[in-house]
Amino acid sequence: MTQLFHSLSEWRVFRKQNHFNHKTIGFAPTMGNLHDGHKSLFERSLNENDFTVTTLFVNPTQFNNQEDFKNYPKTFEKDFDLMKNTGVHYLILPTFEELYPDNFLYKIIETNFSQMLCGKHRSGHFDGVLTVVMKYFQLIKPTRAYFGEKDYQQLHLIKGMVDAFFIDTEIIGCPTIRSESNLALSSRNNRLSTEELKLAEIFPKILKQKKSCEKISEELTQLGFVVDYIEEHFGRRFGAVHLGNVRLIDNIEL
Ligand code: AMP
């Protein structure tokens, strides 16, 4: 049974109870509209910890595009079923007012890698991500926290934040879960038309070709993608493209 916390104050009282003494807590935050990618994080956490905590909150401070924020799919019943069936112990549902009593006056800002790749194209995105994750770490104090490699830049920045601020949480990167056609699962895939989905399925195939970033970018553009970037860093190739008003990201090890 997944225990639901509708308020952070309720959670904070619960977190202080002896109940958690000498127990390990695994944590995987989400914005909902869950799929097998999220499920894989829960399963890993359940395997490695006594308790697993998740949050479901569409964090407005990480959206640079208000339309994208407003259109973010909300599928609470289905999400809650997946959490219950997977065995997640605690779900916290914060509100903006509770989570941001300072109205986002205080931020965690990384000044180098966060300005590249997705950060370059989504101004302020990682300030919102790092700030909300820091808040979660203070509230939950997890032993381990699980993040998907699909959002590799996010994973890398969170690892850096934990080191920089001496946070006693181990950050675990989990492999990207893909559809049969190799498309990285994402909540945004549901917004693709049938035609766009067919094209989207080609994106990972093109990304992993042994060609230069420039060639890959050209090929994607010819096929009808609007390319934000194709770049290589730390032995990985990163790509972000638009199909209609849906933005897809992916990355692969070279
Ligand atoms: P989101 O709900 O999109 O904020 O994602 C919550 C967590 O799930 C993040 O750590 C993501 O990196 C992770 N995640 C999303 N999609 C996938 C996927 N296809 N495979 C593995 N992890 C994923």
Side-chain angles (χ1 to χ4, degrees):
M1 193 58 206
T2 305
Q3 190 172 340
L4 201 58
F5 290 86
H6 284 282
S7 94
L8 285 184
S9 44
E10 195 193 330
W11 165 259
R12 292 177 79 187
V13 170
F14 185 76
R15 178 65 184 88
K16 289 195 182 103
Q17 289 168 3
N18 298 336
H19 184 70
F20 287 114
N21 278 356
H22 310 294
K23 300 283 188 198
T24 55
I25 300 180
F27 170 54
T30 83
M31 297 207 296
N33 198 234
L34 305 185
H35 49 64
D36 283 350
H38 300 100
K39 193 175 169 197
S40 73
L41 307 188
F42 298 152
E43 284 172 340
R44 176 100 184 251
S45 171
L46 286 160
N47 274 334
E48 297 179 353
N49 302 281
D50 297 312
F51 293 107
T52 291
V53 182
T54 187
T55 46
L56 196 166
F57 177 64
V58 185
N59 176 36
T61 65
Q62 70 188 69
F63 284 82
N64 57 320
N65 176 337
Q66 280 312 297
E67 278 306 298
D68 193 22
F69 171 62
K70 273 195 246 149
N71 291 334
Y72 205 84
K74 292 175 187 72
T75 51
F76 178 75
E77 296 301 330
K78 210 168 140 255
D79 295 346
F80 194 44
D81 280 346
L82 184 145
M83 289 170 186
K84 284 190 285 195
N85 295 336
T86 315
V88 170
H89 299 92
Y90 307 113
L91 165 62
I92 309 172
L93 291 170
T95 60
F96 179 82
E97 288 69 27
E98 272 189 305
L99 205 47
Y100 290 91
D102 60 323
N103 205 17
F104 200 40
L105 290 176
Y106 288 81
K107 302 179 186 186
I108 300 288
I109 301 179
E110 193 273 358
T111 54
N112 182 26
F113 190 45
S114 74
Q115 307 301 312
M116 294 150 79
L117 303 173
C118 283
K120 197 165 161 187
H121 294 267
R122 300 183 67 190
S123 176
H125 169 64
F126 289 114
D127 302 352
V129 170
L130 293 179
T131 304
V132 81
V133 171
M134 176 65 106
K135 286 171 186 276
Y136 291 149
F137 285 174
Q138 301 311 310
L139 290 161
I140 295 162
K141 299 183 181 64
T143 319
R144 300 182 186 87
Y146 298 81
F147 295 89
E149 285 185 351
K150 172 174 168 276
D151 302 283
Y152 199 91
Q153 189 177 12
Q154 165 177 288
L155 168 66
H156 187 90
L157 287 165
I158 291 168
K159 279 187 180 163
M161 176 178 82
V162 160
D163 290 344
F165 293 100
F166 313 104
I167 296 170
D168 286 327
T169 295
E170 187 187 349
I171 304 302
I172 317 258
C174 302
T176 303
I177 305 297
R178 297 172 181 278
S179 70
E180 269 175 28
S181 60
N182 222 28
L183 176 65
L185 297 188
S186 163
S187 309
R188 291 188 172 89
N189 296 352
N190 298 332
R191 296 195 345 228
L192 295 166
S193 67
T194 318
E195 263 178 32
E196 287 170 338
L197 183 63
K198 274 208 187 112
L199 200 50
E201 287 170 347
I202 304 173
F203 176 41
K205 293 187 183 75
I206 301 219
L207 194 65
K208 72 176 182 211
Q209 291 180 110
K210 288 200 174 89
K211 290 183 181 168
S212 69
C213 292
E214 290 73 26
K215 279 263 171 301
I216 287 176
S217 183
E218 274 171 30
E219 227 171 282
L220 288 165
T221 308
Q222 273 164 12
L223 284 163
F225 293 90
V226 174
V227 178
D228 265 359
Y229 60 79
I230 304 292
E231 286 182 35
E232 288 169 11
H233 300 269
F234 340 103
R236 298 189 86 85
R237 181 178 288 150
F238 295 81
V241 294
H242 295 259
L243 271 181
N245 54 14
V246 180
R247 187 171 187 273
L248 304 172
I249 60 169
D250 203 347
N251 68 91
I252 51 153
E253 199 171 357
L254 290 171

